[in-house]
Amino acid sequence: MNFDFSDDQKQLRDQARKFLAEKCSSKAVRVVLDGKAPYDKELWKGLAEMGFLGVAIPEEFGGAGAGHLELCVIAEEMGRANAPVPFSSTVYLAAEALLIAGSDAQKKKWLPAIASGEAIGTLALFEGKGNPAPKNVKLTAANGVLNGVKKPVADGAIADFAVVAARTGSGGRDSDISLFLVDLKAGGVEVKSLTNLDPTRGQAEIAFKDCKAEPLGSAGEGWSILTRMLDRAAVLCAFEQVGGADRALEMGRDYALDRIAFGRQIGSFQAIKHMLADMYVSATLARSNSYYGAWALSTNAAELPEAAAAARISATQAFQHCAKNNIQVHGGMGFTWEFDCHMYYRRANAMALGLGSLSYWEDQLIERMRRKNAA
């Protein structure tokens, strides 16, 4: 059994890495980090022209029709490059929601626009502190109108549309939640940018006041759709985290080989060797779990819930571990603005919360394994 990507998929990876090396250097990332632009518009346009935004979108809806394995390959390269674009919110979340539950008309309206880079999408789920849970959804939907506030919403200030989780029942049951599609450029929407750890991936507060919305999927099935969507996004985010972890490890290794202290490369000191070895182990474990998740995602296997949670947990831990230790390997220089270490540290910690906290996914894995063993 072959657990590796195919030659074509590896060629796609090489193509994406070359493109991002040319168009998304750390200097380009810093333009967004230090400037007022919320994302790199030229890079976003280039990703669309390369077909990367629509790699998993069927051809009938304007995409490349390749599949989720190819999207995993692209996601890893996006993580390596620390790309300052709304890729995860649009491709992993909004597009996947449409693919899972969208009507034919909804797919025809939004999926070609995503693939061409004309539309940015997002998921409006969170309402302040707390992990994903039906009881934490307070925003209401009645007669096709939404009222309430969502925050933080990833890339909410630049998104053209949002998939919104809303309460359509009075209890805390899964069946009390439904999903809706909202054109954020229409009336009844107020958007405010929020300060966050990683300015290259913006967050926003979105207030809905008598905002018109159209259902996404059947009424009362919102939480079921959300669970499936979050599992798929967890695998894709895991690959992005693995890419970031690998790049942080490479940065630490290269610095350890170049930096001379007491007449020796600092990489020759045992403490640095151990630190880099630990980084390698965590990144390799995350890659193994992510590959399992990729298989489950691409085949729609029954093991996807457990595989997604395992990939999410190990990739989150690996990226945070490698990003933190990369700073330690760099020593005092690692804490300075001039070095790039902090950019990966920011991204690692921001991504750790994007789909729910690490403890949330640990609880999910335990519960899913318990249910599977009891069946």
Side-chain angles (χ1 to χ4, degrees):
M1 184 178 291
N2 184 9
F3 291 98
D4 200 0
F5 288 110
S6 69
D7 290 340
D8 287 342
Q9 290 158 353
K10 290 178 181 178
Q11 185 176 7
L12 175 65
R13 179 184 62 196
D14 294 340
Q15 183 183 30
R17 185 170 300 186
K18 180 180 178 182
F19 172 79
L20 289 167
E22 293 175 354
K23 304 295 184 181
C24 189
S25 64
S26 62
K27 183 178 179 180
V29 176
R30 283 179 178 275
V31 170
V32 177
L33 183 62
D34 295 331
K36 295 183 179 180
Y39 69 105
D40 189 332
K41 294 183 179 180
E42 287 302 313
L43 176 59
W44 186 249
K45 180 181 177 182
L47 291 169
E49 292 173 348
M50 294 293 290
F52 295 157
L53 299 183
V55 69
I57 294 176
E59 292 184 58
E60 62 181 304
F61 299 117
H68 284 95
L69 284 180
E70 287 74 13
L71 183 52
C72 288
V73 169
I74 300 298
E76 182 178 344
E77 296 310 311
M78 295 294 287
R80 282 182 60 87
N82 207 41
V85 289
F87 193 82
S88 58
S89 55
T90 302
V91 179
Y92 309 161
L93 294 170
E96 287 299 315
L98 287 164
L99 289 171
I100 293 172
S103 66
D104 198 55
Q106 290 169 336
K107 291 177 181 178
K108 288 180 178 178
K109 178 179 180 179
W110 292 113
L111 289 178
I114 289 175
S116 65
E118 297 174 7
I120 295 171
T122 189
L123 170 67
L125 170 60
F126 297 101
E127 300 181 18
K129 296 179 180 180
N131 284 310
K135 66 179 182 179
N136 292 333
V137 177
K138 308 298 182 185
L139 181 144
T140 60
N143 302 318
V145 172
L146 304 183
N147 283 283
V149 177
K150 293 289 187 180
K151 68 174 183 180
V153 180
D155 300 306
I158 58 175
D160 298 291
F161 74 99
V163 176
V164 184
R167 178 166 295 282
T168 50
S170 57
R173 300 165 299 180
D174 292 1
S175 58
D176 292 319
I177 306 301
S178 302
L179 293 184
F180 295 84
L181 270 181
V182 176
D183 185 342
L184 296 177
K185 306 305 180 183
V189 179
E190 294 182 5
V191 181
K192 180 175 69 174
S193 295
L194 301 175
T195 301
N196 69 306
L197 180 63
D198 183 6
T200 64
R201 291 277 179 91
Q203 301 284 349
E205 175 184 302
I206 303 180
F208 299 91
K209 297 180 180 179
D210 296 325
C211 175
K212 293 183 179 180
E214 57 179 294
L216 179 67
S218 302
E221 293 186 2
W223 200 256
S224 174
I225 297 168
L226 268 173
T227 300
R228 293 170 60 197
M229 180 175 62
L230 290 175
D231 284 348
R232 293 161 78 147
V235 175
L236 298 168
C237 280
F239 271 91
E240 189 169 326
Q241 291 169 306
V242 165
D246 274 358
R247 182 62 192 128
L249 171 58
E250 290 172 5
M251 290 168 65
R253 177 204 62 196
D254 292 346
Y255 186 78
L257 293 175
D258 290 341
R259 180 77 168 91
I260 303 298
F262 305 105
R264 297 166 54 186
Q265 294 172 319
I266 65 170
S268 66
F269 295 117
Q270 191 175 50
I272 300 297
K273 289 181 179 179
H274 286 177
M275 197 176 297
L276 291 170
D278 287 344
M279 293 164 69
Y280 176 80
V281 170
S282 63
T284 302
L285 177 61
R287 181 175 295 279
S288 176
N289 279 290
S290 296
Y291 273 39
Y292 179 44
W295 165 80
L297 173 60
S298 64
T299 59
N300 198 28
E303 293 90 344
L304 178 58
E306 298 84 30
R312 171 65 176 170
I313 293 165
S314 60
T316 297
Q317 292 173 332
F319 195 10
Q320 287 187 304
H321 177 70
C322 290
K324 181 183 71 174
N325 278 9
N326 180 38
I327 294 176
Q328 296 298 324
V329 170
H330 280 73
M333 297 301 295
F335 290 86
T336 65
W337 189 265
E338 288 74 14
F339 274 60
D340 294 338
C341 305
H342 66 92
M343 294 194 292
Y344 286 87
Y345 185 74
R346 290 168 182 272
R347 182 64 60 83
N349 286 284
M351 290 193 72
L353 297 173
L355 302 177
S357 69
L358 181 61
S359 62
Y360 166 78
W361 285 98
E362 289 171 339
D363 290 343
Q364 288 293 306
L365 178 59
I366 293 170
E367 181 58 29
R368 291 170 182 185
M369 292 180 68
R370 181 184 293 120
R371 287 200 300 263
K372 184 177 181 179
N373 291 335

